[in-house]
Amino acid sequence: MLDTPSPRTTGLPFGARADDVADLAVAAFTREVFLTPKPGLPDCRTARLPANSVFSSLIDAGVGLHGAFHAAAGAGPDLDRLAAACRLAQERVPYVASLNGLDVAARLLCLLSAAYAQGATSPGQACRIALGLDELIEPSGHFHDSYRAMSGTDKQVAVSVVEDALTSIRAARARGVPEETAQLDALLALIAAVDDGRVVREKGPLALRMIQQDATAALAAGGAGSAEGARLLDTLDEEMTRYGICPASSGALLTALLFLDSVGEREEPVAH
């Protein structure tokens, strides 16, 4: 049974929700792509490479996903329509983006868009609804990371990690931490906590342990906003580049986190 509240309780007007939620989902996808430096993941530095069309394709992918997110938000209780929207989102993600987990990110954004359209009033509630929908809608096609192999328990753990990181990023913002720094620290927290099956499959458990320990050390040193934390972040970035380690699951979860954060920011005050 899905944890679905009344649509009237949400801060977004029901008639405008599909457009509004789709806009926020595209913005979250794009913000994740632009965030720099992201260890092992494409970012603004990709645009400076000779084959900089790769970066352009990532930006274009975000815009091209609007229709799929809109369809997911407008699917209502029709699981077939939602499944079709998820398939469309995955198909719209270019190959190079899917190699970095953005196909999974697109699916997560579809499920979360549907969750908010069904009346979720908080990030935690949206995650629970999305997790229930994920169990009902079988993924189609091939995912390049270990999304299919994740158990229900693994996905629940991932949700808990995202909720903790969301609390941290909002607390950091309230303390006056620059936005980019707060987002990079959130990514470090995800890398430190997520048992990324993609990393294990491609590089082995020692590689996973290494990046988790190094991400934890960067946070313990003060995070991306401190001199030592920034140095350790650069070291982690260099290690991942040298060994070809891609924390695709953490990148996908960061996209979901940015979306959840932005929807919370858009909630309207209760009318008196």
Side-chain angles (χ1 to χ4, degrees):
M1 193 75 168
L2 294 183
D3 182 10
T4 308
S6 167
R8 301 293 298 172
T9 61
T10 185
L12 291 170
F14 193 73
R17 184 178 299 128
D19 278 333
D20 288 349
V21 172
D23 287 346
L24 293 175
V26 170
F29 189 97
T30 306
R31 287 166 69 193
E32 194 280 339
V33 171
F34 270 99
L35 182 62
T36 303
K38 293 197 303 294
L41 296 165
D43 53 31
C44 286
R45 295 169 299 177
T46 311
R48 297 195 292 269
L49 298 175
N52 58 15
S53 60
V54 169
F55 187 77
S56 297
S57 73
L58 299 179
I59 302 304
D60 292 342
V63 176
L65 286 166
H66 189 279
F69 298 150
H70 187 282
D78 190 334
L79 293 179
D80 289 337
R81 287 181 61 191
L82 180 56
C86 290
R87 285 196 301 273
L88 176 61
Q90 188 180 349
E91 291 166 1
R92 289 286 177 88
V93 174
Y95 178 74
V96 67
S98 66
L99 289 176
N100 291 281
L102 290 174
D103 52 349
V104 176
R107 177 180 170 85
L108 296 180
L109 290 174
C110 278
L111 295 172
L112 288 168
S113 295
Y116 275 110
Q118 291 185 18
T121 58
S122 68
Q125 193 173 53
C127 287
R128 290 192 296 274
I129 294 173
L131 197 60
L133 292 171
D134 183 61
E135 293 173 355
L136 295 172
I137 298 172
E138 179 68 21
S140 62
H142 174 68
F143 287 100
H144 288 280
D145 70 5
S146 300
Y147 181 78
R148 283 182 178 277
M150 290 180 71
S151 67
T153 300
D154 290 337
K155 291 177 181 178
Q156 288 177 351
V157 170
V159 165
S160 177
V161 170
V162 167
E163 290 187 278
D164 288 344
L166 180 58
T167 299
S168 296
I169 198 173
R170 289 179 169 174
R173 188 181 295 130
R175 296 194 306 272
V177 174
E179 188 64 28
E180 184 176 86
T181 300
Q183 292 179 19
L184 288 172
D185 284 349
L187 176 59
L188 285 170
L190 292 171
I191 293 173
V194 173
D195 289 334
D196 196 318
R198 160 89 172 268
V199 175
V200 173
R201 186 179 72 245
E202 293 185 350
K203 302 298 177 179
L206 289 180
L208 175 63
R209 189 179 309 166
M210 177 187 74
I211 66 173
Q212 287 179 325
Q213 290 176 344
D214 289 351
T216 300
L219 287 171
S226 70
E228 180 62 10
R231 185 188 71 78
L232 292 173
L233 173 60
D234 287 341
T235 299
L236 177 62
D237 185 31
E238 291 171 2
E239 287 176 346
M240 288 191 174
T241 300
R242 182 184 310 122
Y243 297 113
I245 299 172
C246 176
S249 296
S250 295
L253 291 174
L254 177 64
T255 308
L257 183 156
L258 294 175
F259 174 69
L260 292 166
D261 185 40
S262 66
V263 173
E265 291 175 351
R266 287 283 294 273
E267 287 179 355
E268 300 172 352
V270 176
H272 294 290

